[in-house]
Amino acid sequence: EIVLTQSPDTLSLSPGERATLSCRASQTINNNYLAWYQQKPGQAPRLLIYGTSSRANGIPERFSGSGSGTDFTLTISRLEPEDFAMYYCQRYGGSPLWTFGQGTKVEIK
Amino acid sequence: EVQLVDSGGGLAQPGGSLRLSCVGSGFTFGDFPMNWVRQVPGKGLEWLSYISSSSQTIYYADSVEGRFTISRDNGKNSVYLQMNGLRDEDTAIYYCARGYSFLSYWGQGTLVTVSS
């Protein structure tokens, strides 16, 4: 079973700063089936990035994804107040078919 | 506008059953695979089950295999999760979500509480 480990668990930053979130897989993820989601309290997750680096519809350009193999990154170039939330990476393929990382909380410093 | 509306959650006793529903609108429901994902409040996300657009392909996570059954009715734009043999650890918010390799749209979630 492929395990996704996100780091750090919590990222404390100020608005305007750059956020770098990491997602490391225990085995190579094929075909870049790696996605990122944002979740705010009391809300469902929202797709941000799919295929490692493609932004979902309506997602601002300040969100970008990169990586390959076992190491993937979500970058928020300049944090806006609405970006403070939980972020999850997710991969497709293998068993179970979909697995999520444990999440990174981006909080206001 | 794509919308998914989850319903059917509530209180169930250990060993009991519940049936969750998810109704889609704003897209051709029968063209898309659907999933159920759950989240213990304050914890992470766990994928539970997948059903292809035609219901020909179905997958389950080990944690629910044999207890939960996914199904869909494309005529009613709906996907269902029949949950039997409920356990305390099934207490969570349950979301339906559209997609195959990634989950592009999610319902608002429905809370299932398993307690005696």
Side-chain angles (χ1 to χ4, degrees):
Chain A
E1 176 182 339
I2 296 179
V3 176
L4 298 180
T5 302
Q6 293 184 239
S7 61
D9 289 333
T10 303
L11 197 52
S12 299
L13 295 168
S14 300
E17 289 194 292
R18 181 184 188 91
T20 303
L21 288 66
S22 173
C23 177
R24 177 163 289 178
S26 58
Q27 299 174 40
T28 296
I29 295 178
N30 294 327
N31 298 321
N32 291 330
Y33 278 146
L34 193 286
W36 291 91
Y37 301 84
Q38 177 193 67
Q39 187 178 33
K40 298 179 180 179
Q43 297 184 15
R46 176 176 72 145
L47 177 68
L48 296 176
I49 300 287
Y50 63 93
T52 298
S53 59
S54 297
R55 272 188 303 277
N57 290 341
I59 301 304
E61 290 185 2
R62 65 180 181 273
F63 291 91
S64 63
S66 63
S68 65
T70 60
D71 290 301
F72 298 85
T73 300
L74 174 70
T75 301
I76 310 171
S77 58
R78 288 178 56 87
L79 283 164
E80 296 287 341
E82 61 269 27
D83 299 336
F84 292 90
M86 283 292 292
Y87 292 84
Y88 295 94
C89 60
Q90 171 248 321
R91 119 299 169 212
Y92 161 80
S95 179
L97 279 176
W98 289 259
T99 54
F100 294 89
Q102 85 281 7
T104 290
K105 182 179 181 179
V106 178
E107 66 176 21
I108 299 176
K109 185 174 182 180
Chain B
E1 178 194 5
V2 172
Q3 254 196 323
L4 296 170
V5 179
D6 302 315
S7 63
L11 179 63
Q13 291 194 333
S17 300
L18 278 176
R19 188 194 195 209
L20 306 184
S21 299
C22 166
V23 179
S25 61
F27 65 103
T28 304
F29 187 84
D31 286 350
F32 291 89
M34 297 295 296
N35 299 265
W36 287 97
V37 177
R38 71 183 176 187
Q39 183 175 38
V40 174
K43 302 297 184 182
L45 299 163
E46 179 188 17
W47 169 79
L48 299 179
S49 186
Y50 162 94
I51 186 167
S52 64
S53 57
S54 64
S55 304
Q56 282 197 323
T57 301
I58 288 174
Y59 302 115
Y60 297 99
D62 289 346
S63 59
V64 302
E65 176 104 53
R67 299 189 299 125
F68 291 8
T69 302
I70 193 170
S71 63
R72 65 189 295 160
D73 183 338
N74 289 339
K76 295 182 178 180
N77 290 348
S78 296
V79 62
Y80 308 99
L81 188 67
Q82 177 66 44
M83 304 187 297
N84 299 330
L86 285 164
R87 305 168 179 167
D88 290 348
E89 56 265 33
D90 294 320
T91 294
I93 300 168
Y94 286 71
Y95 299 99
C96 68
R98 191 188 90 174
Y100 182 59
S101 55
F102 53 89
L103 304 176
S104 51
Y105 293 95
W106 297 62
Q108 86 287 359
T110 186
L111 177 63
V112 171
T113 303
V114 183
S115 175
S116 55

